[in-house]
Amino acid sequence: METLKAKKKNGQMDFLLYVTVLLLCAFGLVMVFSASYYYAQNKASLNYDGLYYLKNQAKYMAMGLGVMIVMSRVDYHYLEKLRNVGLMVTLLLMLATVFWGEDINGAKRWLNLFDVITFQPSELAKFVLILYMASFMTRRAPQMKSFTRGIVPMLIIMCIICILLLLQKNMSMMMVVMMIGFVMLFLGGADMRHLVGLCLLAVPVFFLAASMETYRWNRLVIFTNPWKDPQGNGYQLIQSLYALGSGGLFGKGLNFSTQKLLFLTYGESDFIFAIIGEELGFIGCVLVIAAYFFLVCRGMRIAARCKDKFGSLLAAGITSVIAIQVAVNIGVATSSVPPTGQTLPFISAGGTSLIIFMAAAGILLNISRNTESI
C-alpha cells in the first residue's frame, strides 16, 4: 500500500480565494453606489454628483486589481528583502501625516501626496508590520521564547507605530495594530506567559489612552447604551441599529434603504454593513459573513500548507488582519464594540483600504503557489 506523499501544486494559485475576493469587491461596488448615491447627490462639495463614490470606488478597484495581479505573480520572498526599507518609509509617511496630514474632524490620518492622491499610511502600516514580524520571527525562531531577545524588539516597533497613531488621533487603528502584533507573536512561537502578561499590561494602557481625550472616552462608554446620548455620541450607533432592525429577514430591497437618506452618516464606508442589513436583511448579512469566513478559511489553509515558515507567518498575518477588521467593523455596526473608523475589507468605500487589501490578497495568492497538498 502506497503512503501519501506531499506534492507541489505546480505553481497554481488558490482560484477559490481569487474568486471570493473579486466577488466581495464587486458586491462592494454595488453597495457603495446604493449607500452613497443620495448623500453624494445632495453634497455641494461633491458637485451634487450622485455617482461620485461609485466612480471613485471603481477607479480604485481597477487599480487594486492590477496591483493584486502583479503581487500574485511576484515571488513573496522578494518582499522579505524590502522589510527594512518598507518599515522606514512607512514610519516616515506616518510621521509626515502627524505634521502635514489633512485635518478632518480634528484628526490627521490622511496625507496628500503632491495633490495627486490622498493616502492613509496607517493602512499600509498594518501589513508592513506583518511583513517585518514574519521575517524577524523566521530568522530568530529559537529566540522567540526569550522575552528580551524575541519579544522586546517587536514591542519596540509596535510601540513606535502606536505612538504615531495616537499622535494622529487614530486610537482605533492603534488597537487593531496591537491585536495584529499579539496575534503574530502568538503565531511566531512566543511564550504564552509573556503574552498573557503583556495582555494584562495592555488593559490599563488602553484605558489611559482613552481617557486622554474626551471624545475617546465618550465613544468607549456609549456603545453599551447609545440611547443615553441619542443626539450626540450615540447617534450613529442608534441609526445603525435602526437600519439593521428594519431590514428584517430579507431586507427592504437593494437601493431601498431609509437610513441612507442623510440619517446614517458614513453609510458608504464605516457603517456599510448596516446598509447591507437594511437592504438585504439578515440573509444578506449571513451571506456576507459566510464569504469572509470562507476567505479566512482559505487563508489559514494556505498558511498551514506553505512550505516555508516565512510564507506561513505572512499568510497567517494577512488573513488575521482581514478577520480582525471584519470583526471590528461588524461589531461597530451592531453596537458590540466602541465606534471606530475601520472599513469593511473589499466592500467599504475608501481607496487606500481597497488597494492595500487587494495587494495583500495578491500576496496571499502568491503564497498559495508555494503550498503542498496531501
Side-chain angles (χ1 to χ4, degrees):
M1 182 176 179
E2 295 184 1
T3 58
L4 294 174
K5 294 183 179 181
K7 300 182 296 180
K8 285 187 178 180
K9 274 192 171 182
N10 299 321
Q12 295 179 352
M13 70 179 185
D14 191 324
F15 183 72
L16 291 177
L17 176 67
Y18 178 65
V19 171
T20 303
V21 171
L22 290 184
L23 288 176
L24 283 170
C25 290
F27 175 72
L29 204 61
V30 174
M31 291 310 305
V32 165
F33 170 64
S34 179
S36 67
Y37 182 81
Y38 186 84
Y39 170 77
Q41 195 177 40
N42 290 273
K43 192 72 171 177
S45 61
L46 302 180
N47 297 318
Y48 304 105
D49 181 5
L51 300 178
Y52 174 83
Y53 285 101
L54 174 64
K55 292 185 290 187
N56 209 47
Q57 189 78 349
K59 176 182 70 176
Y60 284 111
M61 181 179 167
M63 293 169 60
L65 180 60
V67 174
M68 183 173 73
I69 292 173
V70 170
M71 297 308 295
S72 71
R73 305 299 302 183
V74 176
D75 189 343
Y76 63 90
H77 292 99
Y78 289 122
L79 296 176
E80 188 174 11
K81 300 176 182 179
L82 301 175
R83 64 186 183 278
N84 293 323
V85 174
L87 181 64
M88 290 304 300
V89 169
T90 301
L91 292 178
L92 288 174
L93 287 173
M94 292 180 70
L95 185 61
T97 305
V98 173
F99 292 102
W100 301 291
E102 292 187 357
D103 194 321
I104 301 176
N105 297 326
K108 290 185 176 182
R109 303 178 183 181
W110 300 88
L111 193 62
N112 192 325
L113 300 177
F114 312 109
D115 294 322
V116 175
I117 187 173
T118 303
F119 178 70
Q120 191 173 4
S122 57
E123 289 286 349
L124 179 62
K126 294 180 292 189
F127 294 99
V128 170
L129 177 64
I130 289 170
L131 173 64
Y132 191 88
M133 292 185 73
S135 175
F136 179 90
M137 292 186 294
T138 299
R139 290 180 290 110
R140 300 194 184 184
Q143 300 177 13
M144 289 311 299
K145 294 297 182 182
S146 168
F147 184 78
T148 54
R149 290 179 293 174
I151 295 180
V152 169
M154 295 296 90
L155 287 179
I156 293 173
I157 302 298
M158 289 167 57
C159 286
I160 293 173
I161 293 175
C162 288
I163 290 171
L164 290 172
L165 288 171
L166 276 181
L167 292 175
Q168 295 176 15
K169 296 189 176 181
N170 195 354
M171 184 175 170
S172 61
M173 185 67 79
M174 184 196 81
M175 296 308 301
V176 170
V177 166
M178 288 179 64
M179 286 189 283
I180 292 168
F182 280 116
V183 168
M184 289 299 293
L185 287 173
F186 171 75
L187 294 172
D191 194 308
M192 281 301 299
R193 294 173 299 173
H194 297 155
L195 292 180
V196 171
L198 288 172
C199 287
L200 293 175
L201 180 63
V203 173
V205 172
F206 168 75
F207 283 103
L208 177 62
S211 64
M212 290 171 63
E213 296 283 352
T214 303
Y215 77 93
R216 288 179 192 156
W217 187 257
N218 290 337
R219 286 185 176 184
L220 180 63
V221 299
I222 199 63
F223 82 98
T224 56
N225 185 8
W227 281 271
K228 286 181 180 179
D229 188 11
Q231 296 301 319
N233 292 303
Y235 178 80
Q236 272 186 310
L237 294 179
I238 291 173
Q239 299 305 316
S240 178
L241 293 174
Y242 281 159
L244 290 167
S246 62
L249 186 61
F250 297 104
K252 295 179 176 179
L254 190 63
N255 200 39
F256 286 97
S257 165
T258 301
Q259 295 307 113
K260 70 181 182 183
L261 305 180
L262 306 185
F263 293 103
L264 177 62
T265 53
Y266 302 113
E268 75 286 345
S269 54
D270 300 355
F271 285 89
I272 198 167
F273 188 78
I275 302 299
I276 293 171
E278 185 179 10
E279 296 190 348
L280 303 180
F282 177 76
I283 299 298
C285 290
V286 169
L287 290 175
V288 170
I289 293 172
Y292 281 119
F293 181 75
F294 180 75
L295 190 154
V296 169
C297 286
R298 299 301 295 187
M300 287 304 178
R301 180 177 180 271
I302 292 168
R305 296 186 176 188
C306 185
K307 292 184 289 185
D308 64 87
K309 185 169 184 178
F310 172 69
S312 181
L313 287 173
L314 188 59
I318 291 172
T319 306
S320 298
V321 173
I322 295 172
I324 289 171
Q325 196 144 325
V326 168
V328 169
N329 182 277
I330 294 176
V332 170
T334 57
S335 193
S336 303
V337 299
T340 67
Q342 301 304 309
T343 59
L344 190 60
F346 309 112
I347 292 180
S348 291
T352 305
S353 174
L354 183 60
I355 290 176
I356 290 178
F357 268 105
M358 292 186 77
I363 296 172
L364 200 55
L365 289 169
N366 184 261
I367 298 172
S368 72
R369 298 176 185 274
N370 192 39
T371 57
E372 295 179 344
S373 58
I374 302 298

